[in-house]
């Protein structure tokens, strides 16, 4: 199932971004017709924690919610060591206020916590006390789960890139039901039985 709106999915990129956290999501989205565009702090190249040099497609100041289907915020060391990425959290607020989805994983969840975006939404992260250290007021909404979707917001911890992708694929209507479950079982559990379901659905 492909419900692409014609609007691109925007992937935030910045120095020290965690390469492994968004690959499942962006690869599957691209394979099902969604354009992926990268957004940097500026138009200058950035380097991931794995050493990949990435040239952003556009600068953050040029990103508008009405031009996007989704904003994906990966983790990065910079979320916890500086305030350099705070503008991305503020942009996430603009997206959510406009009803445009945001998906945050790992350190990006701490950035959203500092911005106050998790105070009134169910969410998860690496572990509850990681977010508690931000001083946010949303501890009562923390959920022990691989990934959590609350309305237009998806959150996940750093060890759950497949569950993170699952929630993104569900939210954008790429896969659903048995097919989504099979996709998750294949990539998370290496379940060979999932192949048949995906082949029948034309999802491989």
């Amino acid at each position: 199932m492909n419900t692409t709106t014609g609007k691109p999915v925007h992937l935030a990129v910045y120095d020290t971004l965690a390469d492994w956290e968004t690959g499942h999501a962006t690869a599957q989205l691209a394979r099902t017709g969604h354009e992926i565009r990268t957004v940097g702090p500026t138009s200058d190249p950035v380097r991931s924690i794995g050493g990949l040099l990435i040239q952003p497609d556009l600068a953050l100041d040029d990103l508008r919610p009405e031009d996007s289907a989704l904003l994906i915020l990966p983790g990065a060391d910079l979320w916890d060591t500086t305030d350099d990425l705070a503008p991305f959290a503020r942009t996430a607020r603009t997206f959510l206020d406009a009803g445009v989805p945001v998906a945050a994983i790992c350190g990006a969840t701490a950035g959203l916590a500092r911005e106050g975006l998790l105070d009134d939404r169910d969410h998860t992260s690496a572990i509850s006390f990681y977010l508690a250290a931000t001083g946010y007021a949303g501890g009562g909404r923390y959920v022990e789960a691989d990934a959590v979707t609350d309305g237009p917001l998806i959150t996940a911890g750093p060890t759950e890139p497949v569950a993170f992708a699952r929630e993104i694929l569900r939210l954008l209507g790429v896969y659903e039901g048995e097919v989504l479950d099979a996709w998750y079982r294949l990539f998370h559990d290496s379940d060979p039985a999932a192949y048949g379901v995906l082949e029948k659905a034309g999802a491989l």
Side-chain angles (χ1 to χ4, degrees):
M1 178 177 176
N2 179 7
T3 60
T4 179
T5 63
K7 295 181 180 181
V9 169
H10 287 92
L11 172 67
V13 295
Y14 21 71
D15 286 333
T16 74
L17 78 90
D19 317 69
W20 65 91
E21 293 176 346
T22 60
H24 283 285
T26 55
Q28 205 63 34
L29 288 171
R31 292 187 68 182
T32 53
H34 291 77
E35 179 188 3
I36 307 297
R37 302 202 73 204
T38 53
V39 184
T42 68
S43 58
D44 294 335
V46 299
R47 192 173 293 276
S48 76
I49 199 168
L52 301 180
L53 189 65
I54 302 168
Q55 175 65 58
D57 292 313
L58 71 160
L60 186 61
D61 284 347
D62 297 324
L63 178 63
R64 301 290 180 268
E66 58 268 26
D67 299 326
S68 184
L70 169 72
L71 174 62
I72 302 176
L73 299 174
D77 291 346
L78 292 182
W79 282 112
D80 296 320
T81 58
T82 74
D83 293 327
D84 291 356
L85 301 186
F88 284 92
R90 291 194 291 271
T91 297
R93 176 181 291 281
T94 302
F95 267 60
L96 293 172
D97 286 348
V100 181
V102 173
I105 186 169
C106 188
T109 63
L112 298 192
R114 294 185 190 97
E115 182 64 19
L117 296 176
L118 305 184
D119 291 351
D120 301 309
R121 295 178 173 94
D122 289 345
H123 60 276
T124 193
S125 184
I127 198 165
S128 60
F129 59 74
Y130 169 65
L131 290 186
T134 68
Y136 84 132
R141 301 295 294 268
Y142 188 90
V143 181
E144 295 287 353
D146 54 10
V148 171
T149 298
D150 187 336
L153 178 65
I154 295 168
T155 51
T159 60
E160 298 293 346
V162 182
F164 185 59
R166 179 196 66 211
E167 295 304 299
I168 289 172
L169 298 176
R170 187 202 315 274
L171 187 65
L172 293 184
V174 176
Y175 301 135
E176 57 188 18
E178 182 185 32
V179 176
L180 182 64
D181 177 66
W183 183 89
Y184 178 76
R185 287 189 288 110
L186 177 62
F187 287 99
H188 188 266
D189 304 325
S190 300
D191 181 357
Y195 277 104
V197 177
L198 295 174
E199 284 181 336
K200 183 178 179 180
L204 282 177

